[in-house]
Amino acid sequence: MRTSTRRSHRLMALAAVAALTTGVLAGCSSDSDGTSSNASDSGKGKTTLTVGTFGVFGYKQAGLYDEYMKLHPNITIKEDVTTRTDVYWPKVLTRLQAGAGTDDIQAIEVGNITEAVQTQADKFVDLGKDVDKSQWLPWKNAQATTKDGKQIGLGTDTGPMAICYRKDLFQKAGLPTDRTQLANLWKGDWSKYVNVGKDYMKKAPKGTKFVDSASSVYNAAIGGESQRYYDKDGNVIWDKSTGVKAAWNAAMAVATSNMSAKLKQFDPTWDQGFANASFATVACPAWMMGYIQEKAGTAGSGKWDVAAAPTAANWGGSFLGVPTASKHQADAIALAKWLTAPEQQEKVFAKQASFPSTPAAYPNLKPAAATTTYFSNAPITQIFSDSAKTIPVQVFGIKDQPIGTAITDVGILQVEQKGKTPAQGWSAATKEIKDVLGQ
């Protein structure tokens, strides 16, 4: 995907599982045509705040807007939702540049946070000076902070990684089904995970593969690498990156074997793969659990389990920022702080499984009983919180998303689905990335 196809599909999946908290304070109202304008219900003595989001953030679903308005009778909250991120973010950029029309609070997806930090920081309020930064994971704060220390966003959810697996298929393949034993088998290295896949395929139940796709292995592996596509000075280093090399090699080991179902994530055929139990494992950030329950259906209940991933990794997550164009900055800041506080993040997790970016929430997380039962009573809060706490600080660049997409949707697919060699796949990805970078 050249722009943000994987990101937007991930957010559509997130719509079933997704983001974080709610409330609202001061703001701007959303017109019928989708544009926003700062407004105040002066006749009612209320201030109207708008919160601009994409997909489903869970604020309304968890009842947080209503809760906040009861606590603050002078506030009316309106949510300005855009379904697709590839529509949402360009719209936000246009309004930021115009200095008008933004919502009082704007959600920023992790794939866009670097662009916001590097090119739009002057258009956002510095939220870091208004909060106790120690509430959030250090690496989450770092993603939203400029070189001179300005923090333009407060962390909502994260996407700590695990491996979701079908224990019934593992049993039929003669492999261990205990989550701790499996985690130890592949601990520390994705190549060990691939080796388990080789063992699975020796006695794989008919019609099944070990993993959904080589691209999912790449995405999971790169999510745990500190060195990705850019260095700390903003230089593009994807072709020299040790992290990219390690993730690519793991993906190639899958793509050139018989262990992949060769499905493109978030396509209808991938959804059907869950329903048909056609693959035994999938790289599983926290938000993926709701997606699996929806697509695999009741037939998968009690057959899925969760084990720690080979390495701590992250895939997903967002932030809340307050544009300087807001005419109700103080109220918007207060609301953003409230929505991203541990107590509210706990409530959204209970409703939608969005994993908090505030460690203080972890001891109190209560997954839905249906989710716990579905995944064989796995200690999912412990597994995901352990991952979240040890994810390395990663350097992101403005073109992170399209570079990653070129590698997965061009390079890896060339090998996995078209029979090209790894060298040919790398060459195809290189050409695509050069186009993206204008080289």
Side-chain angles (χ1 to χ4, degrees):
M1 103 203 118
R2 309 259 156 127
T3 52
S4 60
T5 309
R6 180 170 62 84
R7 183 175 72 239
S8 61
H9 280 314
R10 171 261 184 205
L11 286 156
M12 291 173 188
L14 215 61
V17 228
L20 201 81
T21 0
T22 6
V24 153
L25 222 73
C28 73
S29 65
S30 181
D31 298 328
S32 60
D33 64 354
T35 60
S36 299
S37 58
N38 288 303
S40 175
D41 293 338
S42 56
K44 299 179 182 179
K46 290 189 175 184
T47 296
T48 298
L49 283 178
T50 57
V51 181
T53 65
F54 45 84
V56 179
F57 261 58
Y59 300 152
K60 183 182 297 184
Q61 292 77 3
L64 294 180
Y65 290 142
D66 290 339
E67 181 180 349
Y68 194 84
M69 288 188 285
K70 287 180 180 178
L71 294 172
H72 303 82
N74 62 315
I75 297 298
T76 296
I77 299 170
K78 293 185 179 181
E79 192 173 60
D80 181 12
V81 183
T82 301
T83 303
R84 295 175 53 181
T85 50
D86 55 348
V87 175
Y88 171 82
W89 186 241
K91 178 176 67 175
V92 172
L93 287 176
T94 298
R95 292 174 178 177
L96 289 171
Q97 291 299 320
T102 60
D103 292 302
D104 294 291
I105 292 177
Q106 294 286 174
I108 308 170
E109 204 260 343
V110 65
N112 302 124
I113 192 62
T114 298
E115 181 176 13
V117 165
Q118 294 186 7
T119 70
Q120 306 297 321
D122 61 328
K123 306 294 194 306
F124 285 96
V125 174
D126 184 358
L127 297 175
K129 60 185 180 182
D130 292 300
V131 298
D132 176 6
K133 293 184 180 182
S134 66
Q135 290 185 92
W136 287 269
L137 293 161
W139 59 264
K140 187 73 173 180
N141 285 333
Q143 289 178 335
T145 303
T146 65
K147 288 184 177 180
D148 60 2
K150 179 179 181 180
Q151 187 170 334
I152 68 167
L154 300 179
T156 59
D157 61 320
T158 62
M161 192 70 65
I163 298 295
C164 290
Y165 66 99
R166 291 278 304 224
K167 62 182 184 181
D168 58 326
L169 298 182
F170 269 58
Q171 184 176 29
K172 291 177 181 178
L175 294 179
T177 59
D178 178 75
R179 64 182 72 94
T180 301
Q181 189 174 355
L182 287 172
N184 286 333
L185 281 177
W186 55 56
K187 184 177 181 179
D189 194 333
W190 284 92
S191 66
K192 296 179 180 179
Y193 170 77
V194 172
N195 288 337
V196 173
K198 292 177 181 178
D199 289 338
Y200 177 88
M201 293 309 300
K202 291 176 183 177
K203 296 182 180 179
K206 185 178 180 180
T208 72
K209 299 293 185 179
F210 178 67
V211 67
D212 59 329
S213 70
S215 291
S216 75
V217 174
Y218 176 86
N219 289 330
I222 198 67
E225 296 288 347
S226 57
Q227 187 181 86
R228 293 163 49 98
Y229 310 128
Y230 287 77
D231 65 18
K232 59 183 177 59
D233 296 319
N235 300 310
V236 180
I237 60 164
W238 70 273
D239 54 341
K240 306 177 186 67
S241 167
T242 56
V244 170
K245 182 178 180 180
W248 174 266
N249 288 342
M252 288 300 99
V254 172
T256 56
S257 73
N258 67 339
M259 71 179 72
S260 172
K262 302 181 180 181
L263 301 172
K264 187 175 181 180
Q265 290 192 320
F266 306 109
D267 276 1
T269 52
W270 187 62
D271 295 347
Q272 196 62 40
F274 283 110
N276 295 337
S278 60
F279 49 86
T281 71
V282 63
C284 188
W287 51 262
M288 180 81 79
M289 299 185 73
Y291 194 87
I292 292 173
Q293 291 176 76
E294 178 185 348
K295 302 304 180 183
T298 56
S301 183
K303 296 178 181 178
W304 283 93
D305 208 327
V306 186
T311 60
N314 184 74
W315 177 17
S318 299
F319 303 82
L320 296 184
V322 176
T324 56
S326 169
K327 293 180 180 178
H328 307 284
Q329 285 187 22
D331 285 337
I333 291 169
L335 175 59
K337 289 168 61 176
W338 188 82
L339 290 175
T340 57
E343 297 80 5
Q344 277 59 258
Q345 297 206 25
E346 290 172 23
K347 295 170 186 174
V348 175
F349 175 81
K351 180 66 177 179
Q352 297 197 179
S354 303
F355 204 81
S357 59
T358 50
Y362 297 165
N364 304 316
L365 294 181
K366 297 177 181 178
T371 297
T372 302
T373 300
Y374 197 96
F375 289 94
S376 304
N377 298 313
I380 56 178
T381 57
Q382 186 66 50
I383 291 170
F384 287 120
S385 61
D386 286 348
S387 176
K389 291 175 183 177
T390 54
I391 293 168
V393 175
Q394 298 178 313
V395 176
F396 288 83
I398 292 177
K399 298 292 186 180
D400 244 78
Q401 284 286 350
I403 290 174
T405 297
I407 291 174
T408 58
D409 290 14
V410 178
I412 294 176
L413 283 183
Q414 289 279 326
V415 180
E416 185 172 54
Q417 296 189 7
K418 297 184 179 180
K420 302 294 185 181
T421 66
Q424 289 172 322
W426 185 260
S427 178
T430 299
K431 183 179 184 301
E432 181 75 5
I433 292 171
K434 287 183 176 180
D435 287 344
V436 165
L437 298 175
Q439 296 177 345

